[in-house]
Amino acid sequence: MRMKTWAAVVLLGMSVVLGACGGKEAAGADKKEIVVGFGVGTYEEQFRQGILPILEKEGYKVEIKTFSQNMQVNPAMKEGSIDASVFQSTAYMEGINEELDADMAVLNFVPSAPQGLYSEKHKSLDEVKDGSVIALPNDPVNQERAVRILEDLGWVKVKADAGTTDFNLNSVEPDKYDLKLEVLDSAQILVSLADVDFGVVNGNYIANAKRQITEALKIENTPEQHRVTVTVNQTDLNTNWAQALKAAYESKAFEDYIHDQAKYDGFILPEAWESN
């Protein structure tokens, strides 16, 4: 009798625990309060003005958490203080997944600012010469993108085995010109253009400065792996809140908002909008 009683207690306890776990999972999938993380600037503004109103109409309470440095966002995702982020490309995310032993996944693409080659000293690409100083981003992923612009112009050659997340300037060789490549923090290149001949600037910094991406002397043809994404943890991909976030970014209402803002001229638009 005691054995039967003890077995019953164990089974009851297990059912309570499993029920609690199932309830927690369901609550997570159906939750109406989410936290979305951003770096400073363009993508936070897109969200606040174009996405937040859509989610609020659907009953979501959204906290926007803006980080002063992009490198702070993914650790916050891993530790669970944010549910989603909007700032990084697929290539960057994959590199950080490896570095942090994280399991982030792309939910969808957002209107993305391409890199461009800008100058305050020169009005034409024809003014480049041996010894010209070109400012490039210091992180490997954006640096590889930047060097591809120079490669497209025929200014440099890039070795066939050059990586992306582990890219470095050892993979770059002179082509038409023997250039001086100067590595700077991405956020500093725009304000340093007076000190260099040309600089490759991420488009979000151009938009933040209330300038037009179309001012660039050369704009990259941004490959999909470098377009900005909404990122969530793999386990959250199919939750109701994540799908609501995805639907908001793919909606006609958000598309209309982007088209109505001149500051987004030159941005690469999500292919999902083609069906709107």
Side-chain angles (χ1 to χ4, degrees), residues 39-146:
V40 176
T42 303
Y43 301 107
E44 186 270 345
E45 183 178 351
Q46 284 183 12
F47 183 90
R48 187 181 296 276
Q49 296 184 5
I51 298 297
L52 185 60
I54 296 173
L55 294 176
E56 288 180 335
K57 282 181 182 177
E58 296 180 7
Y60 286 94
K61 182 179 179 181
V62 183
E63 178 185 348
I64 296 173
K65 186 172 284 191
T66 305
F67 295 83
S68 60
Q69 295 182 325
N70 285 347
M71 68 180 65
Q72 298 170 321
V73 184
N74 285 324
M77 175 87 79
K78 183 173 171 62
E79 73 182 20
S81 61
I82 62 174
D83 298 299
S85 71
V86 188
F87 82 101
Q88 68 188 333
S89 67
T90 305
Y92 184 84
M93 180 201 73
E94 289 173 349
I96 295 295
N97 269 346
E98 222 174 283
E99 183 180 321
L100 298 181
D101 191 26
D103 193 24
M104 295 178 290
V106 170
L107 183 66
N108 59 281
F109 293 96
V110 308
S112 302
Q115 283 189 341
L117 186 68
Y118 296 82
S119 179
E120 291 183 357
K121 291 185 176 181
H122 307 290
K123 296 186 181 300
S124 168
L125 296 173
D126 295 335
E127 296 178 37
V128 67
K129 61 184 180 181
D130 287 344
S132 289
V133 180
I134 317 292
L136 303 175
N138 61 353
D139 69 279
V141 171
N142 282 310
Q143 190 174 103
E144 188 264 348
R145 290 174 64 187

Side-chain angles (χ1 to χ4, degrees), residues 42 45-46 49 203 206-208 210-213 257-258 260-267:
T42 303
E45 183 178 351
Q46 284 183 12
Q49 296 184 5
I206 297 295
N208 291 347
K210 302 189 185 307
R211 294 174 57 171
Q212 295 295 312
I213 287 171
Y257 160 77
I258 292 295
D260 287 344
Q261 306 295 314
K263 70 179 76 174
Y264 298 126
D265 287 350
F267 274 56

Side-chain angles (χ1 to χ4, degrees), residues 141-199:
V141 171
N142 282 310
Q143 190 174 103
E144 188 264 348
R145 290 174 64 187
V147 167
R148 295 298 179 185
I149 294 176
L150 307 185
E151 182 184 41
D152 286 346
L153 290 169
W155 292 4
V156 302
K157 293 179 181 177
V158 180
K159 294 179 181 177
D161 60 353
T164 300
T165 58
D166 59 348
F167 183 84
N168 65 71
L169 292 181
N170 291 331
S171 298
V172 182
E173 299 174 340
D175 194 351
K176 290 181 182 176
Y177 304 100
D178 188 5
L179 305 172
K180 181 180 178 183
L181 304 180
E182 185 170 317
V183 175
L184 298 174
D185 181 271
S186 293
Q188 295 302 311
I189 297 177
L190 180 59
V191 297
S192 301
L193 286 179
D195 302 319
V196 299
D197 290 291
F198 301 90

